[in-house]
Each structure stands twice: as C-alpha cells, then as structure tokens.
Amino acid sequence: MKRNQRKTGITIAAIVAAMAMAGCGAKETENATWSSIENPAESKAENTTGKTTETASESTAENVTENGAGSAVENTDGLTYSDVEKGTAKVKYTGKGDVPGYLELSQVLTVGESYTISEICDALKQIEDFQQDAEITYSKVDCGSDGEEELLVEAQLGAGFGLDMIIKRINDELVICYDQSATERSYVTVNADGTIESGGASAANIHDVDYAYVDASGEYKFFYGVSETLSLMETYDIYKGDSVTSISTEGIDAEHMAVLEYYFEQNYEERNSFYSFYTFDDSYSEVETEAGKADIAELGVRFKDEGFLIYDSDGINAVLNERAQEIGYPGSF
C-alpha cells in the first residue's frame, strides 16, 4: 500500500485490534551492526513539525465584554474576538495556513475576501458531505506564548467531520492563519501554546502523526511527521513519484518488526524520508532482544543499500532536536 498519502486517525490500540498480519521466521544475521547509521549532524532534512502536550483553554463570550475589555483583542475598527463569536465581525482569508486534508478553505473561499464564521460554514455546504448546520466551539490559545491571545474556532460539520481554524489580529485585521480538517478516521488537536498534533491511520497497521505549530506572528510551520508500520509483509515498499523501491524482509521476523518513517516535508510528493526500526512482542510492546537487534541491523543494511538514510533512536532524537531549534518549535516531543 502506498504510505503517507492520507492522514486519517485511530489510536494504536485500535490498530492493534485490527491487525492480522503474517510474519517470517526469525533469523540472526551475523556481522550486521548499526555502524552503518549516519551521523545526525550530517542530516540534510529541511522542514518539520513538533508534538504538543497541552489542551486549549476554554473561553466563552461571557468572559469578554462588548466594549473590548477583559481578554478581547481589538483592531483599529474596534472589532474583537468577541465580535467574531457573535457573528458581527468578519475574518480575512489569505490562503496561508491551509493544511492539506479531506477539505480546506481554499475549496470554498476567495483569497483576500473576508467572511463571518457563519458565512464560512455556509460556504462549506458547497461540499456534498457538509450539508447540516455546523456546531461551533470557541476558545483562546496563545501562539508562541507571547501573552497575546488568538481565537481557536472548532466547527463540527457533521458526523465525523470537523474543521479547526486559528484567527489572529495581524496588521489591524482579523486573519485566518491556520485551518485543518478532521474526519471520522483522523484527529486534530490544537494546544494552548499553538502547537498542533494531527494524525490517523492509512491502513490497519499504519499509523501517521504530524506535528506543527502557529508562531507568535501567526505563521504556520510544519515540524515533522512520522508514519509507523507494524508487522511488515514480504517487502517494505517505498514510493517516490512513479517509482517504487521494495525492500525484502526475507530471513527477518517481520511479524514483530516496526518501521518508523520520518519526514520534514508536509507535501507527500516532496518528502525525503529517513527511517528507524524497533521490535515488539505479541502484545505489541516494544522489546529488545539479541535476535531482534540482529534483525534490525540486517534491515538497516538493506535500507542503506537502496540509498535510504537510517538512524537509531538516539540519532532520531538528535535530528529532531536540531530541527526544533532551527525553526523555534515551542513544544516538547
């Protein structure tokens, strides 16, 4: 199956319950070691996202007075986030911060135009799946933790479908600086500091997670993503454009092997992935055995022989830490 083309969501527990994969017999591989792993400092990864840990703080219209006092943020027209919630203020769509998914605002809105939240939800009804009235939840976040609040809008568009938006005052305008959808098989979590986690399952044994954030200036930035494949088949297939590379798992206990595919490019077609591996027991708990180490080492050799970059767990942590510092990612991971 082609990996990472779609972000859909279930938990690892659900994945475990759905799995019924056949494995190969275990076999130790002599003279295969992790000496072939690249130095993380030599990584040429260029784009990424990060993991979030806090939930967005709830806020209601009662916490904001009509004259802009309290936590309301005013622009030069005297409009506040409270006015957005009441439907008396419009927000500008710039086309920035659209995260590819089942739907995005670019499908129904015009760049440079401004809309009320109700107008946005009505526009979404142009899409066949979203015909009912949306249920809207408002809360406040502090992107970049700079003390200036932003408005998080969560629109439930129907059973299993939703759209999250972050609205920020930018240059005296109320602007949509991020939007991302979720489906019945995917999720989006926006945290109090503007960090974002989204993910899902593209197959019963493949679980994907992306990490991103909106910074204090309102810019959306991708940190990194990772696709986890449990219980490998006879080959592990890697797609790039119209080509596919099939890496054999012959002689390896593939049933108890996991591949972690990391990427710094949110666009599937632009990814330059790098890889790590681990082994697990029949309960899907990660374990480390001598046979498992030999299998990991052998699989690593096969990936490197095909020109793919691999790391052990320490190497992955070093690469992600380097990237977090490079882009100023504010969360923990």
Side-chain angles (χ1 to χ4, degrees):
M1 170 169 283
K2 192 168 184 178
R3 291 170 171 78
N4 299 329
Q5 254 180 318
R6 183 172 59 164
K7 296 293 167 203
T8 53
I10 57 176
T11 62
I12 289 292
I15 294 172
V16 169
M19 291 175 55
M21 313 295 293
C24 302
K27 176 181 178 182
E28 293 192 11
T29 304
E30 297 179 359
N31 301 322
T33 70
W34 276 107
S35 61
S36 60
I37 297 174
E38 302 289 342
N39 185 336
E42 297 175 356
S43 171
K44 298 187 183 298
E46 296 180 355
N47 299 308
T48 54
T49 59
K51 186 171 182 176
T52 59
T53 55
E54 302 178 49
T55 56
S57 56
E58 292 289 332
S59 173
T60 64
E62 288 75 17
N63 294 327
V64 185
T65 61
E66 292 185 5
N67 63 2
S71 61
V73 176
E74 295 187 2
N75 61 18
T76 53
D77 295 323
L79 298 177
T80 68
Y81 291 149
S82 178
D83 294 319
V84 175
E85 297 181 34
K86 290 184 293 185
T88 57
K90 294 188 176 186
V91 297
K92 186 176 183 179
Y93 174 64
T94 65
K96 298 180 179 179
D98 286 331
V99 177
Y102 187 78
L103 68 94
E104 58 188 73
L105 293 182
S106 62
Q107 296 172 259
V108 296
L109 302 187
T110 301
V111 172
E113 297 294 325
S114 296
Y115 306 83
T116 65
I117 299 302
S118 293
E119 288 172 341
I120 292 173
C121 293
D122 287 342
L124 289 169
K125 291 181 180 179
Q126 298 175 38
I127 302 173
E128 184 177 354
D129 288 328
F130 313 118
Q131 297 303 306
Q132 68 184 58
D133 291 338
E135 296 180 8
I136 309 296
T137 301
Y138 298 96
S139 56
K140 297 296 194 315
V141 295
D142 183 2
C143 298
S145 301
D146 63 346
E148 181 178 340
E149 289 183 326
E150 289 77 30
L151 182 65
L152 173 63
V153 182
E154 299 170 276
Q156 190 66 32
L157 303 170
F161 295 97
L163 180 73
D164 285 11
M165 294 176 281
I166 291 179
I167 296 169
K168 180 178 177 63
R169 177 193 173 188
I170 300 176
N171 295 329
D172 298 324
E173 293 183 294
L174 296 172
V175 176
I176 302 169
C177 54
Y178 157 80
D179 66 272
Q180 185 170 5
S181 65
T183 71
E184 69 275 6
R185 296 188 63 204
S186 69
Y187 69 92
V188 175
T189 302
V190 179
N191 300 304
D193 59 356
T195 52
I196 302 161
E197 177 181 335
S198 59
S202 50
N205 65 322
I206 303 175
H207 182 249
D208 310 309
V209 184
D210 283 350
Y211 301 102
Y213 75 105
V214 174
D215 67 14
S217 68
E219 182 180 356
Y220 173 83
K221 295 182 178 179
F222 189 76
F223 180 20
Y224 79 95
V226 57
S227 179
E228 179 184 51
T229 301
L230 303 173
S231 293
L232 310 182
M233 304 297 287
E234 290 81 4
T235 62
Y236 183 88
D237 298 330
I238 300 174
Y239 293 84
K240 186 71 173 178
D242 295 329
S243 65
V244 58
T245 301
S246 296
I247 298 175
S248 173
T249 61
E250 183 180 359
I252 291 174
D253 183 10
E255 185 177 2
H256 297 95
M257 179 71 70
V259 175
L260 297 171
E261 178 182 354
Y262 293 84
Y263 45 88
F264 294 148
E265 300 84 13
Q266 191 160 23
N267 187 327
Y268 175 83
E269 300 297 335
E270 298 175 354
R271 288 178 188 166
N272 294 294
S273 299
F274 52 100
Y275 299 85
S276 188
F277 319 108
Y278 71 88
T279 54
F280 54 89
D281 60 21
D282 289 339
S283 298
Y284 299 97
S285 298
E286 184 174 349
V287 295
E288 188 176 89
T289 65
E290 292 304 314
K293 290 179 182 178
D295 283 348
I296 287 173
E298 173 59 25
L299 190 59
V301 170
R302 296 177 188 180
F303 270 69
K304 281 190 64 65
D305 286 346
E306 295 292 344
F308 296 104
L309 192 63
I310 61 170
Y311 297 104
D312 61 9
S313 58
D314 289 338
I316 291 293
N317 289 335
V319 170
L320 296 183
N321 273 301
E322 180 182 353
R323 180 57 181 170
Q325 293 177 14
E326 177 186 343
I327 67 171
Y329 178 69
S332 59
F333 57 93

